[in-house]
Amino acid sequence: MVCTDVLGRIEREVIKECSPTLAGLKTGSLFNYRYDNISDFKKELASVNRELNAKGVYVTFLKRNEKSALLYVFRPDRLEKDLSQPAVQNVLKTFGYTDYKVGASIKHLKQRVEENTCFPHEIGLFLSYPVEDVIQFIRQKGCNYKCCGVWKVYCDEAFSQKMFARYRKCTEVYLRVFDRGRSISALTV
């Protein structure tokens, strides 16, 4: 059964775009969500957060306009671990980050998304991309990668291909089970 009501629509989009995060395979996921009006969007966002926050998953927007929002779905506990890595902090420091706590880092990322016409290059660090690949993406200006899937791979191609396959399989299974009636809360690890 496919949810077609307004509140079910955001849940299906979260499942479609963020299953690996819901399953605990990734720290965070990012997708653009279109809505009809801001009032409904706020209700949808509050509803999905009520479902997911108890499971340790949060949804916020990095950027919003009249008809769409760039949504960041993340696990704060995992993001805290990621942000505590010295290699990650070194990259973030080059982009003006000074406080590596989750809230402060997301706030700075939001500013960077608002100020830039393209995605800030460090965004991969908020999405479980390997730090080495993020560094090489920046150095290589997005060129000369070995393969491309969820991210552009510069270093460990075999590992990345395995992760891409896991993410695809997870999404397939989650969508199938959600469409059969399982709630987003029940699907969140």
Side-chain angles (χ1 to χ4, degrees):
M1 162 179 108
V2 177
C3 289
T4 56
D5 66 313
V6 172
L7 296 178
R9 195 170 66 88
I10 194 171
E11 290 182 356
R12 188 162 201 296
E13 286 298 308
V14 169
I15 295 289
K16 180 179 156 197
E17 303 292 341
C18 309
S19 291
T21 299
L22 300 179
L25 300 176
K26 287 183 75 205
T27 296
S29 299
L30 190 67
F31 71 101
N32 195 46
Y33 182 68
R34 297 201 174 279
Y35 50 84
D36 294 326
N37 68 62
I38 195 69
S39 177
D40 285 348
F41 169 68
K42 287 178 180 178
K43 289 175 189 170
E44 291 173 298
L45 194 59
S47 173
V48 78
N49 269 309
R50 272 191 302 278
E51 290 288 318
L52 297 178
N53 290 176
K55 300 284 187 132
V57 177
Y58 290 74
V59 183
T60 190
F61 62 87
L62 298 181
K63 189 174 187 174
R64 182 185 76 184
N65 64 35
E66 291 179 22
K67 295 293 181 182
S68 69
L70 180 61
L71 295 182
Y72 178 50
V73 178
F74 68 103
R75 294 178 167 274
D77 58 335
R78 291 220 16 201
L79 184 56
E80 183 178 355
K81 271 190 217 170
D82 294 352
L83 295 173
S84 71
Q85 296 175 37
V88 169
Q89 290 180 2
N90 286 338
V91 173
L92 293 176
K93 192 180 300 179
T94 65
F95 294 104
Y97 292 78
T98 56
D99 185 341
Y100 306 108
K101 291 184 178 77
V102 169
S105 293
I106 291 174
K107 182 178 179 183
H108 190 78
L109 179 63
K110 281 182 179 186
Q111 286 178 287
R112 299 238 329 123
V113 168
E114 285 287 336
E115 294 167 358
N116 292 288
T117 55
C118 62
F119 279 136
H121 295 317
E122 75 274 13
I123 203 160
L125 301 173
F126 291 80
L127 303 171
S128 294
Y129 299 177
V131 67
E132 301 84 9
D133 285 334
V134 172
I135 291 167
Q136 287 305 314
F137 178 86
I138 294 165
R139 286 184 183 152
Q140 302 288 329
K141 297 180 171 56
C143 299
N144 305 316
Y145 49 90
K146 294 178 180 179
C147 71
C148 186
V150 177
W151 64 86
K152 289 184 177 177
V153 177
Y154 293 87
C155 299
D156 193 340
E157 187 175 1
F159 166 80
S160 298
Q161 292 287 7
K162 282 183 204 170
M163 294 310 296
F164 299 161
R166 285 181 74 191
Y167 295 166
R168 274 191 305 275
K169 182 68 173 174
C170 176
T171 301
E172 290 169 11
V173 169
Y174 269 52
L175 277 171
R176 187 170 53 248
V177 173
F178 181 77
D179 286 344
R180 290 182 182 155
R182 181 90 41 101
S183 72
I184 194 170
S185 178
L187 287 169
T188 305
V189 175

